[in-house]
Amino acid sequence: MPAPAANAVAGLGLGVGDWGTARTPVGAFRLVPVRLDRDLPLVGRWMNDPAVAAFWELAGPRRVTARHLRGQLAGDGRSVPCLGVLEGRPMSYWEIYRADLDPLAGHYPARPYDTGIHLLIGRPADRGRGLGSLLLRAVADLVLAGLPACVRVVAEPDLRNVPSVAAFLSAGFRFCAELDLPAKRAALMVRDRSPRDRL
């Protein structure tokens, strides 16, 4: 039986658990929907890394991260928390969400089925090596392949997070605007479906 998160997502047209594996220059990569009982210790540890905490603001006791994850897992599937697994090793955390159904849609000209991504690279040893760009490109490809109605992938990293913005640019996203969001000033990054893919 599929995990509850995978079922919830299917209702909104996201089927993250069924997207399969992306082949990248650094190995096989896949998104695995989070299971709280299995993944909370790892995600909680990542959220308490100072480099992550500066932008995610989920540092603290494990219950802080648990509340955040439960909110998504108990929702209607418009946001799916996932582990990014590279060559069999969980090494990143992702949220795949329907940006057109998110409060973000009130801050930019959203289109139907716009799909957003949030990410963090878990281990310090995996940061600063270009993995973010490779994996962002792979995940955007997975989104566009898995969601035929989606014509663009969006993200809104904090403008102060220069390495994150640079990773999106290197992954084929374009900078579209600065957004004043409730908790941050963000860079609206967009990766469009290739015109060739629409044929």
Side-chain angles (χ1 to χ4, degrees):
M1 173 179 278
N7 286 338
V9 179
L12 285 176
L14 295 175
V16 177
D18 299 323
W19 288 353
T21 300
R23 301 289 169 199
T24 77
V26 291
F29 178 82
R30 66 181 291 115
L31 293 172
V32 177
V34 162
R35 276 194 4 227
L36 200 60
D37 60 327
R38 177 192 67 198
D39 303 323
L40 179 59
L42 180 61
V43 177
R45 188 168 65 247
W46 291 343
M47 291 298 182
N48 278 282
D49 179 300
V52 171
F55 297 104
W56 280 78
E57 300 178 352
L58 289 172
R62 196 173 284 173
R63 69 178 177 273
V64 174
T65 302
R67 187 179 320 118
H68 178 77
L69 293 174
R70 277 193 193 103
Q72 293 184 72
L73 294 169
D76 61 4
R78 66 181 64 193
S79 182
V80 183
C82 298
L83 290 182
V85 179
L86 180 63
E87 287 293 296
R89 179 176 60 87
M91 49 72 65
S92 53
Y93 172 76
W94 300 75
E95 293 174 352
I96 309 299
Y97 66 99
R98 282 284 300 271
D100 62 322
L101 302 177
D102 189 81
L104 175 64
H107 297 273
Y108 82 104
R111 295 181 187 165
Y113 302 102
D114 275 358
T115 302
I117 54 178
H118 297 140
L119 85 144
L120 68 86
I121 304 294
R123 294 185 326 144
D126 287 330
R127 298 182 202 136
R129 302 179 6 199
L131 279 177
S133 295
L134 292 173
L135 299 181
L136 280 167
R137 185 177 296 278
V139 169
D141 288 345
L142 286 171
V143 168
L144 294 170
L147 302 173
C150 173
V151 297
R152 61 188 189 169
V153 180
V154 302
E156 20 73 44
D158 192 306
L159 270 173
R160 298 170 299 150
N161 193 344
V162 175
S164 180
V165 173
F168 278 101
L169 290 170
S170 294
F173 286 73
R174 59 188 165 83
F175 173 82
C176 289
E178 291 186 15
L179 303 178
D180 286 312
L181 301 179
K184 64 184 176 183
R185 185 151 179 84
L188 177 65
M189 311 298 294
V190 175
R191 166 130 176 246
D192 297 293
R193 184 182 292 280
S194 163
R196 180 181 60 215
D197 295 339
R198 296 180 196 172
L199 299 177

